[in-house]
């Protein structure tokens, strides 16, 4: 219960192209209640608002068997009734007083968050404790919210031209780990979910020793500690063990190629990815820098070669870092008249070149500056700082990573980037997805060799 | 700024017993007042207006060069010119190539983004404060000295056409573009601001050069900065980088369009195999300088501005028919649109259209109860406060005031102006501006799954197959090929 205060030296970032920048560290306090709840607080009294986050260590990878999409559906249900709260009361306590609330379901965690005028801090601590302690949802509410999630599925997956691509990448990329199941689920699995599943999921995962409370913004430290004790302290820590995913994803032994043929694709796309270690691994930082050098900004390697080269309309590269393992993914959205294999050739050649020769000092510095500026933008607000801290604690499994992560990025060398591209990409096996329009039925039925 | 919110709590929590703190939410403490940012401004000799809003804490600056001309000035047949001009702007100057610009800016960790709205074009910079001078120098160079090289135009044109093709595969975008055309016809706000594959193909280099020469000028522009910068430093920098920018002949605003009439039309864009249908219900809205501006904001906040507004209550929360439903006014120099929109499974599109129309009309039929009106005002006030928590958000708010010639001190009046709107004003405003019966309805989706039902609900339904849709034409239909 003792509050620890971490005093952090300011991070000084020197740069040849510009003056040194001082990044204010996220200065957090940490304590653990007797029931296991971890509490972090970051004070900033410059504006009278406060962000309250509760991150649960349960995500889509914990979806029960035959219930893909359940952790996300459950997240929606958390806005329905509890013992002492009516459905949508969370909106009354946030939106109605000039704040907002939302939640997100990740592969590894589910985060619930609110930003409110700071005089409502106690109210929101009560409300978050309330839904951690109990859920009390009826069949009608459950069915209606499940319909909303099915519409979310249509909105994200079925309606946009590249929706089915992002839906397919995890499924095609992981062979054993539950990361392979789509977090949004499928209409079938959503239909199979029951109110009983909801109760059991809450009992299993929504408990103080599986949660992290983060309060960021305008508060009085002593008062905050007292309220946290008052509202969260009484929630019992269950005796049962928390189930954890322990499936090991096997290394890829061969290259895998997948054709995704779907309706409504105006221009084809290519996705290629390799497995990488987890977020806490020391190679995470060089992988992030590699992705930035490959595709962040118009002067990045792939933007110059593919977009300026008129092969693709857009290209992205991403070191998707998760708790168990991640994937390094490059996606090219093709330009008119160009096909995925052309993009694949260029992407593989660039990655091979980094693996063989490393990157230039200018590229390295540019990538670090881009990363830093975007971190600054995230950390401009109390809510943004709470997100950065939540990600460090839950995904990177180390609160100090919220500040150390920036230092690690600064320390990356060309040899590091070269080494990780060789180890995880050129010396390993990719999954390559060719995404394009499904031929119309009449065409498909035409005899082979028929005129077009 | 949150002071005015306190009285509402009484209404909300009066039912709770004072002694039952575990079963009812604890009441809020006394609110703390927020400090609004203070703007300093100066106009350079060449007419460039410079506004600075200092905000300490994070070593970050947001800056915008705002040109007071946008897509409304696209010449006939050149839909997308303002947007294309803004995107080729950063692709080369008299002294820097496209690649030198990108490399130079990105080496500083900065981003420069350009965008043409309807009434203005913006060149936005986000940069760590120690790098401000170097990055703003590039911004000044592209704004003043862009060369619009032919090969850069071809590159941007090809990308814009590809991106429009993808846009036209999304039911939501298609419904919005069609509603825009139906509302405004061939008047300045009627076309696609991003152009169409056809109009983009027609634009010539001379069009970009002329657009730039005519409108990118100090006396038709403003420079707005917010974040970790002092007014003195910003003014000195503005003088150094923009002081010698020459002004030209006066710029005239695009002519006012004819009065836009609300008119009931029901148009379906048939997109076979669309995974979801998009429903847009639109009407003419208001001008930004309309005295009813704050009434419109409050009315919309009740109807469709936010999660708990009536449209989302009825469509998502009560009926589970959508992931989200909402509405907004887009007040512009001239009358801009009002649009309510949602996406739903194809089969329920007609039901959702009915709900939206009924909710619009319902707002005019009875006063909004205070227990509903007060929280919906709080939503506006809260969003306003949140938008001022980032440097980019401040730049956005301040630029909008500068664009429409409104006093910057209006930012201090926002809370009071919202609070002053009464339930009766909302009802009267809705009666003249939000009637559902004469709103235009557009549904983009898989028509075979809802057309029959839709025809039962509405007298005349026009169906246009996506393959025949021509956004360049006020009739929306391709002319039939001869023979």
């Amino acid at each position: 219960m003792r509050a620890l205060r971490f005093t952090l030296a300011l991070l000084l970032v020197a740069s040849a192209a510009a003056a040194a920048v001082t990044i204010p560290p996220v200065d957090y306090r940490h304590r653990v209640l007797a029931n296991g709840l971890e509490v972090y607080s970051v004070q900033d009294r410059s504006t009278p608002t406060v962000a309250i986050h509760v991150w649960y260590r349960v995500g889509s990878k914990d979806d029960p068997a035959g219930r893909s999409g359940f952790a996300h559906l459950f997240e929606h249900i958390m806005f329905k009734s509890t013992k002492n709260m009516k459905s949508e009361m969370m909106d009354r306590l946030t939106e109605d007083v000039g704040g907002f609330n939302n939640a997100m379901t990740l592969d590894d965690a589910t985060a619930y968050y609110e930003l409110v005028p700071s005089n409502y801090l106690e109210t929101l601590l009560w409300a978050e404790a309330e839904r951690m302690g109990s859920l009390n949802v009826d069949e009608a509410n459950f069915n209606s919210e499940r319909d909303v999630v099915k519409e979310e599925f249509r909105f994200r997956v079925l309606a946009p031209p590249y929706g089915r691509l992002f839906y397919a990448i995890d499924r095609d990329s992981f062979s054993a780990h539950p990361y392979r199941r789509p977090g949004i689920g499928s209409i079938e699995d959503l239909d199979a979910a029951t109110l009983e599943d909801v109760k059991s999921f809450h009992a299993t995962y929504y408990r103080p020793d599986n949660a992290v409370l983060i309060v960021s913004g305008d508060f009085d430290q002593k008062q905050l500690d007292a309220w946290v004790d008052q509202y969260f302290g009484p929630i019992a820590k269950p005796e049962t063990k928390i189930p954890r995913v322990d499936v090991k994803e096997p290394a890829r032994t061969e290259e895998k190629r997948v054709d995704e043929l779907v309706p409504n694709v105006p221009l084809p796309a290519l996705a290629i990815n390799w497995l990488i270690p987890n977020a806490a691994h020391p190679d995470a930082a060089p992988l992030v820098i590699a992705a930035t050098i490959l595709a962040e900004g118009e002067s990045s390697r792939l933007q110059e070669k593919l977009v300026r080269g008129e092969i693709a309309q857009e290209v992205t590269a991403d070191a998707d870092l998760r708790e168990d393992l991640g994937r390094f993914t490059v996606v090219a959205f093709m330009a008119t008249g160009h096909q995925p294999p052309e993009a694949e050739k260029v992407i593989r050649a660039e990655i091979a070149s980094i693996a063989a020769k490393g990157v230039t000092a200018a590229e390295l510095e540019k990538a670090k500056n881009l990363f830093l500026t975007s971190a600054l933008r995230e950390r401009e607000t109390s809510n943004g700082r709470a997100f950065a801290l939540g990600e460090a604690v839950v995904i990177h499994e180390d609160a100090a990573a919220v500040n150390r992560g920036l230092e690690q990025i600064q320390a990356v060398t060309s040899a590091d980037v070269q080494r990780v591209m060789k180890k995880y990409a050129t010396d390993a096996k990719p999954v390559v997805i060719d995404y394009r329009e499904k031929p119309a039925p009449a065409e498909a039925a035409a005899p082979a060799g028929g005129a077009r | 700024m949150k002071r005015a919110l306190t009285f509402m709590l009484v209404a909300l929590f009066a039912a709770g017993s004072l002694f039952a703190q575990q079963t009812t939410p604890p009441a809020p403490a006394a609110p703390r007042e927020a400090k609004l940012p203070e703007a300093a401004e100066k106009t350079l000799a060449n007419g460039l207006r410079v506004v600075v809003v200092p905000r300490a804490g994070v070593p970050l600056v947001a800056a915008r060069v705002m040109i007071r001309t946008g897509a409304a000035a696209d010449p006939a047949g050149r839909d997308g010119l303002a947007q294309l001009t803004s995107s080729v702007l950063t692709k080369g100057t008299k002294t820097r190539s496209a690649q030198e610009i990108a490399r130079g800016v990105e080496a500083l960790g900065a981003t420069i983004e350009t965008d043409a709205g309807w009434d203005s074009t913006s060149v936005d910079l986000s940069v760590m404060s120690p790098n401000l001078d170097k990055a703003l120098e590039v911004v000044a160079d592209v704004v003043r000295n862009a060369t619009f090289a032919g090969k850069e135009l071809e590159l941007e044109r090809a990308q814009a056409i590809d991106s429009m093709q993808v846009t036209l595969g999304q039911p939501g975008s298609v419904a919005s573009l069609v509603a825009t055309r139906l509302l405004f016809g061939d008047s300045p706000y009627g076309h696609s601001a991003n152009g169409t594959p056809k109009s983009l193909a027609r634009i010539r280099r001379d069009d970009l050069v002329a657009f730039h020469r005519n409108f990118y000028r100090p006396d038709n522009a403003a420079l707005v900065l917010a974040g970790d910068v002092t007014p003195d430093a910003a003014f000195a920098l503005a003088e150094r980088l923009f002081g010698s920018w020459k002004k030209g002949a006066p710029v005239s605003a695009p002519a006012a369009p004819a009065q836009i009439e609300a008119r009931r039309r029901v148009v379906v864009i048939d997109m076979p195999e669309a995974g979801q249908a998009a429903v847009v219900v639109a009407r003419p809205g208001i001008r930004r300088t309309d005295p009813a501006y704050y009434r419109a904001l409050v009315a919309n906040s009740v109807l469709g501005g936010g999660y708990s507004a009536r449209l989302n209550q009825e469509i998502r929360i009560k009926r589970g028919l959508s992931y989200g439903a909402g509405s907004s006014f887009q007040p512009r120099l001239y009358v801009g649109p009002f649009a309510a929109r949602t996406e739903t499974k194809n089969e329920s599109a007609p039901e959702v259209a009915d709900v939206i129309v009924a909710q619009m009309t319902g707002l005019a039929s009875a006063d909004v109860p205070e227990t509903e009106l007060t929280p919906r005002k709080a939503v506006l006030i809260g969003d306003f406060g949140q938008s001022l928590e980032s440097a980019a958000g401040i730049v956005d708010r301040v630029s909008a005031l500068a664009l429409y010639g409104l006093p910057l001190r209006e930012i201090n009046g926002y809370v009071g102006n919202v609070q002053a709107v009464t339930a009766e004003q909302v009802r009267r405003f809705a009666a003249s501006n939000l009637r559902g019966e004469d709103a235009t309805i557009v549904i983009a989706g898989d028509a075979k799954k809802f057309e029959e039902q839709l025809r039962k609900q509405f007298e005349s339904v026009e169906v246009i197959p996506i393959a025949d849709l021509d956004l360049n034409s006020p009739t929306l239909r391709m002319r039939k090929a001869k023979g």
Side-chain angles (χ1 to χ4, degrees):
Chain A
M1 298 279 279
R2 193 168 61 97
L4 295 178
R5 189 169 182 90
F6 295 87
T7 309
L8 294 152
L10 294 182
L11 297 172
L12 276 176
V13 179
S15 136
V21 183
T22 308
I23 309 283
V26 176
D27 189 3
Y28 57 86
R29 276 170 166 252
H30 172 234
R31 67 187 189 119
V32 182
L33 304 195
N35 60 13
L37 178 70
E38 282 187 73
V39 184
Y40 290 85
S41 53
V42 185
Q43 201 182 53
D44 171 7
R45 312 204 71 166
S46 63
T47 49
T49 56
V50 65
I52 298 101
H53 285 215
V54 183
W55 289 56
Y56 291 91
R57 296 176 191 276
V58 56
S60 301
K61 71 176 173 193
D62 302 297
D63 285 345
R67 298 282 189 278
S68 72
F70 190 80
H72 171 250
L73 171 62
F74 183 89
E75 173 228 288
H76 280 238
I77 302 296
M78 278 285 273
F79 291 86
K80 298 297 175 185
S81 44
T82 71
K83 193 165 150 224
N84 295 306
M85 284 168 72
K86 286 193 290 195
S87 278
E88 280 81 39
M89 186 161 164
M90 198 52 107
D91 302 324
R92 305 288 73 75
L93 302 179
T94 54
E95 189 181 346
D96 288 8
V97 301
F100 70 85
N101 69 66
N102 213 330
M104 60 178 186
T105 306
L106 307 173
D107 293 288
D108 302 307
T110 311
Y112 299 82
Y113 51 94
E114 300 89 38
L115 180 77
V116 287
S118 50
N119 55 318
Y120 284 85
L121 173 58
E122 186 188 4
T123 319
L124 267 300
L125 291 172
W126 172 86
E128 283 294 6
E130 179 69 23
R131 62 180 174 180
M132 183 184 290
S134 74
L135 260 192
N136 184 22
V137 181
D138 62 24
E139 197 77 39
N141 263 330
F142 173 70
N143 290 337
S144 150
E145 200 57 32
R146 175 165 53 193
D147 284 345
V148 169
V149 172
K150 289 198 242 169
E151 289 297 346
E152 184 177 355
F153 173 86
R154 294 184 185 103
F155 180 72
R156 292 191 193 283
V157 180
L158 301 185
Y162 299 108
R164 289 173 174 91
L165 172 63
F166 295 105
Y167 189 72
I169 293 180
D170 274 341
R171 184 189 61 208
D172 294 338
S173 301
F174 297 101
S175 60
H177 196 283
Y179 286 157
R180 72 187 311 277
R181 296 180 305 183
I184 188 81
S186 65
I187 297 287
E188 230 178 8
D189 282 1
L190 289 168
D191 277 335
T194 66
L195 204 49
E196 238 358 90
D197 294 331
V198 170
K199 287 176 192 156
S200 121
F201 203 73
H202 190 274
T204 308
Y205 295 107
Y206 281 71
R207 40 195 276 180
D209 55 334
N210 199 37
V212 178
L213 168 68
I214 301 166
V215 177
S216 173
D218 179 29
F219 59 83
D220 174 86
Q221 189 72 51
K222 261 174 99 174
Q223 180 66 80
L224 170 67
D225 292 347
W227 283 333
V228 169
D229 289 338
Q230 181 183 347
Y231 296 111
F232 289 92
I235 303 174
K237 170 179 169 176
E239 294 293 312
T240 50
K241 214 168 157 263
I242 305 167
R244 295 296 181 203
V245 168
D246 55 5
V247 178
K248 293 276 171 279
E249 174 73 14
R252 291 177 184 165
T253 52
E254 53 192 35
E255 181 169 325
K256 176 178 161 188
R257 305 191 71 87
V258 188
D259 285 332
E260 292 287 351
L261 304 181
V262 307
N264 184 26
V265 182
L267 293 164
L270 172 99
I272 179 166
N273 74 76
W274 294 268
L275 297 179
I276 55 175
N278 65 6
H281 195 279
D283 285 343
L287 284 162
V288 167
I289 290 292
T292 308
I293 287 173
L294 280 169
E296 183 76 27
E298 279 172 29
S299 72
S300 61
R301 291 190 177 201
L302 292 174
Q303 297 279 349
E304 287 203 347
K305 292 251 159 62
L306 290 176
V307 181
R308 268 193 85 76
E310 298 187 73
I311 295 169
Q313 32 159 336
E314 200 186 325
V315 58
T316 64
D318 174 34
D320 181 349
L321 296 164
R322 308 184 197 184
E323 198 180 0
D324 298 348
L325 78 159
R327 55 173 168 76
F328 188 93
T329 307
V330 182
V331 182
F333 304 89
M334 305 312 298
T336 297
H338 292 269
Q339 295 304 320
E342 296 170 70
E344 183 185 348
K345 204 173 136 195
V346 174
I347 293 164
R348 296 180 83 150
E350 273 319 309
I351 288 177
S353 150
I354 294 178
K357 294 181 277 190
V359 298
T360 67
E363 282 179 310
L364 200 57
E365 183 187 307
K366 180 177 68 175
K368 290 175 183 178
N369 278 337
L370 284 171
F371 184 88
L372 222 57
T373 312
S374 99
L376 275 177
R377 274 193 294 268
E378 183 186 21
R379 288 153 193 235
E380 220 180 341
T381 61
S382 296
N383 197 34
R385 286 188 288 273
F387 273 111
L389 189 55
E391 197 186 314
V393 173
V394 176
I395 313 297
H396 296 248
E397 295 179 340
D398 178 10
V402 73
N403 296 311
R404 208 189 44 230
L406 298 180
E407 290 168 17
Q408 284 169 333
I409 289 286
Q410 290 310 313
V412 170
T413 65
S414 167
D416 292 333
V417 181
Q418 179 177 357
R419 179 178 53 77
V420 297
M421 282 295 93
K422 181 168 188 309
K423 179 170 179 187
Y424 301 111
T426 55
D427 285 357
K429 305 294 180 192
V431 167
V432 184
I433 303 169
D434 187 327
Y435 180 83
R436 55 183 196 274
E437 177 95 1
K438 179 178 70 179
E443 261 175 68
R452 272 213 51 172
Chain B
M1 117 194 164
K2 299 280 173 359
R3 187 173 37 196
L5 302 177
T6 45
F7 67 91
M8 169 195 82
L9 310 167
V10 179
L12 253 182
F13 300 134
S17 151
L18 283 174
F19 302 102
Q21 277 225 325
Q22 300 305 308
T23 55
T24 57
R32 278 188 57 209
E33 189 133 8
K35 280 224 304 253
L36 292 172
E38 276 183 39
E41 69 169 301
K42 180 180 178 176
T43 301
L44 305 189
N46 59 11
L48 180 70
R49 186 175 181 193
V50 184
V51 184
V52 188
V53 186
R55 185 173 175 279
V58 180
L60 199 64
V61 177
R64 171 178 298 175
V65 173
M66 178 186 73
I67 306 297
R68 304 164 70 103
T69 306
D74 286 348
R78 300 287 191 271
D79 302 356
L81 176 60
Q83 185 66 48
L84 195 57
T85 304
S86 80
S87 57
V88 185
L89 193 73
T90 56
K91 303 299 181 296
T93 68
K94 291 165 192 161
T95 53
R96 289 175 168 94
S97 72
Q99 279 160 305
E100 282 165 355
I101 291 167
R103 285 174 192 166
V105 168
E106 288 163 16
L108 298 169
T111 51
I112 295 180
E113 283 170 14
T114 59
D115 187 41
W118 286 103
D119 297 330
S120 68
T121 301
S122 49
V123 181
D124 275 305
L125 169 69
S126 168
V127 63
M128 295 187 271
S129 40
N131 296 352
L132 172 63
D133 290 24
K134 285 185 176 171
L136 197 64
E137 191 180 316
V138 181
V139 171
D141 190 30
V142 300
V143 167
R144 296 178 58 178
N145 305 314
T147 44
F148 303 102
K151 80 173 190 347
E152 299 296 339
L153 166 60
E154 293 316 319
L155 202 57
E156 290 303 313
R157 185 206 309 275
Q159 280 176 33
I161 291 174
D162 283 353
S163 142
M164 249 345 257
Q165 264 186 273
V166 175
T167 300
L168 293 172
Q170 320 230 34
S173 316
V174 170
S176 291
L177 287 164
V178 168
T180 296
R181 198 45 115 175
L182 289 171
L183 271 191
F184 297 106
D186 59 3
S187 74
Y189 296 144
H191 61 280
S192 161
N194 290 323
T196 65
K198 212 157 87 185
S199 75
L200 288 165
R202 271 199 298 258
I203 292 175
R204 293 164 304 139
R205 178 176 177 267
D206 288 353
D207 296 322
L208 278 75
V209 171
F211 196 93
H212 181 253
R213 187 184 55 231
N214 292 339
F215 302 120
Y216 283 64
R217 302 188 348 206
D219 45 337
N220 190 44
L223 170 65
V224 181
L225 301 101
D228 183 23
V229 60
T230 65
D232 284 349
F235 293 146
L237 188 60
E239 188 63 54
R240 178 164 74 77
L241 298 175
F242 294 94
S244 63
W245 191 11
K246 295 246 170 11
K247 61 174 166 185
V251 174
S252 52
Q259 173 95 21
I260 306 292
E261 300 292 338
R263 192 182 146 209
R264 162 55 58 84
R265 273 179 81 174
V266 182
V267 174
V268 170
I269 307 300
D270 185 18
M271 301 174 74
E273 292 209 70
Q276 206 178 23
V279 180
V280 172
V281 181
R283 285 185 51 107
I286 58 166
R287 284 176 299 122
R288 174 60 183 85
T289 50
D290 193 313
Y293 177 71
Y294 289 94
R295 277 167 259 163
L297 287 189
V298 174
N300 184 68
S301 188
V302 172
L303 177 66
Y307 191 84
S308 300
R310 290 181 179 185
L311 290 177
N312 202 53
Q313 286 280 2
E314 294 297 324
I315 294 170
R316 171 176 166 151
I317 299 172
K318 280 194 195 158
R319 295 179 176 80
L321 288 175
S322 176
Y323 182 49
S327 65
S328 64
F329 281 92
Q330 281 188 48
R332 298 180 189 157
L333 182 63
Y334 301 115
V335 169
F338 161 85
R341 50 179 309 137
T342 190
E343 292 83 13
T344 185
K345 57 184 176 298
N346 287 294
E347 293 78 1
S348 43
E351 180 183 357
V352 160
D354 254 2
V355 173
I356 295 175
V357 168
Q359 287 301 319
M360 286 169 65
T361 301
L363 202 55
S365 65
D367 279 355
V368 178
E370 282 301 324
T371 49
E372 182 183 5
L373 190 62
T374 307
R376 297 323 296 164
K377 288 179 181 175
V379 169
L380 288 172
I381 294 167
D383 286 352
F384 171 75
Q386 284 151 33
S387 71
L388 300 178
E389 284 189 10
S390 71
I394 295 172
V395 165
D396 222 42
R397 289 270 178 189
V398 170
S399 311
L401 293 174
L403 174 61
Y404 296 110
L406 295 161
L408 300 187
R409 65 173 179 280
E410 191 175 319
I411 214 163
N412 299 305
Y414 186 93
V415 174
N417 285 331
V418 167
Q419 293 292 11
V421 175
T422 66
E424 193 198 342
Q425 286 175 328
V426 168
R427 180 171 50 75
R428 283 166 180 269
F429 177 84
S432 51
N433 291 276
L434 284 169
R435 272 187 324 274
E437 304 86 71
D438 49 11
T440 293
I441 300 170
V442 180
I443 303 177
D446 196 348
K448 64 180 173 293
K449 296 185 175 153
F450 58 79
E451 188 183 338
E452 195 186 328
Q453 176 57 37
L454 197 65
R455 288 190 187 282
K456 289 182 193 157
Q457 290 173 211
F458 297 101
E459 263 176 38
S460 95
V461 174
E462 304 161 59
V463 181
I464 304 176
I466 184 86
D468 295 347
L469 176 66
D470 182 2
L471 287 166
N472 298 105
S473 160
T475 69
L476 290 170
R477 284 177 194 273
M478 303 242 226
R479 265 181 292 168
K480 293 269 185 298
K482 284 181 190 148

